[in-house]
Amino acid sequence: MEIAKIGEFGLIDRLTKDIKPQNTSTQYGVGDDCAVLHYPDSEVLITTDMLMEGVHFDLTYIDLQHLGWKSAMVNISDIFAMNGTPRQMTVSLALSKRFSVEDVEQFYSGLRMACDKWGVDIVGGDTTSSYTGLAISITCIGEARKEDIVYRNGAKETDLICVSGDLGAAYMGLQLLEREKSVYYQMIEDAKKKAATVHAGATVPDGATVSAASTAGSIPDFQPDFAGKEYLLQRQLKTEARGDIIQKLREAGIRPTAMMDISDGLSSELMHICKQSHVGCRVFEKQIPIDYQTAVMAEELNMNVTTCALNGGEDYELLFTVPIGDHEKIQQLEDVKLIGHITKESLGHVLVTRDDQEFELKAQGWTMEKA
Ligand SMILES: [Mg+2]
């Protein structure tokens, strides 16, 4: 169904009619000029994120339902990264004519699944038209007690550096999708050439490529090869915000001194913590958690797996520091790994490799100059 058929208000109605707020802080949700929120005893956390088609996502790889899920999760992740609890979300979409009502419903179903997982109320948003594609702007609102908020600037000398989950897999998932996309396009190109030959030298007009090729009966069914790499795809397409880790840390009585989520890669996030906390760091390559599938894929692509783990983005794991006294507690936490420690600022940012060499960590990986 064309969106024009039901109009903007019709669409909003359809998308939001059965949304029921779950949080007491949501006094009034969708339906008036503003949503009304009430936070009597907490600090309010706000994060916002804009995603542009062709820049941040490619709809040849990701379907709208996964995109909705991911758009919500990356915002929720930022609230957890402050040690907060996500509560509300607003969602704004700019849609070009090629999107139907059903497409937007798909997007919303993914978005709502992610919100439901963490008890987040959708309290408003906007939809508008776009000439160029899909643009998504999401704002997530959360709460935390003042004393619980964890900033990036609290890391202290001798603190331990920890990460949740494993790193580099989302990036490898993207490489995998790109590889399969280029295989597919090559196949179409080949079929096109073949079709052109079949049609006795007639040139195949652009835009009619696939059908021309199909007429010639030469385009094979395309089956992307993802066998044994499901985890990488999952990490790229079905992003998870690590609220479970926040929960575990609370239960264990551990309060991180600094924390952030890893959206741009471990290296650059570590730099942010060090810079804002005025400290240095020492990270051990052999401690960096890497999944088996990530390692296999890196080898297939002839890439250094540590570089992928340090620079690959979109892991949305948590990077945090804790006082050295929490060493034992941290070691007992499942899915959290100790990767190094905080040092004096003057000692810089050091990566200790598997063979005990020391290199300087850079926002993009590390340099081959000895630290
Ligand atoms: Mg963040």
Side-chain angles (χ1 to χ4, degrees), residues 67-121:
L67 185 62
W69 168 280
K70 190 170 171 176
S71 312
M73 275 299 176
V74 303
N75 278 276
I76 290 171
S77 175
D78 274 328
I79 301 286
F80 287 136
M82 299 295 287
N83 201 24
T85 307
R87 297 291 188 199
Q88 288 89 16
M89 185 174 284
T90 64
V91 187
S92 299
L93 299 174
L95 298 151
S96 68
K97 275 219 176 79
R98 70 177 218 272
F99 296 96
S100 65
V101 171
E102 290 77 12
D103 288 336
V104 189
E105 283 179 331
Q106 279 292 307
F107 179 86
Y108 250 73
S109 75
L111 184 95
R112 289 185 59 174
M113 273 191 265
C115 285
D116 286 346
K117 174 160 184 178
W118 293 112
V120 175
D121 297 330

Side-chain angles (χ1 to χ4, degrees), residues 47 74 77-78 81 152 260-263 269 316:
T47 177
V74 303
S77 175
D78 274 328
R152 297 175 181 183
M260 61 187 300
D261 62 339
I262 306 180
S263 50
E269 317 299 24
Y316 294 99

Side-chain angles (χ1 to χ4, degrees), residues 156 158-160 254-257 321-327 330:
K156 303 269 181 313
T158 75
D159 278 358
L160 306 172
I254 303 167
R255 187 189 175 281
T257 49
T321 55
V322 298
I324 193 162
D326 285 338
H327 187 252
I330 281 290

Side-chain angles (χ1 to χ4, degrees), residues 8 12 16 29-33 35 89-93 108 122-128 137 139:
E8 186 191 348
I12 292 173
T16 58
V30 178
D32 212 307
D33 298 295
M89 185 174 284
T90 64
V91 187
S92 299
L93 299 174
Y108 250 73
I122 295 168
V123 295
D126 192 17
T127 60
T128 179
S137 171
T139 298

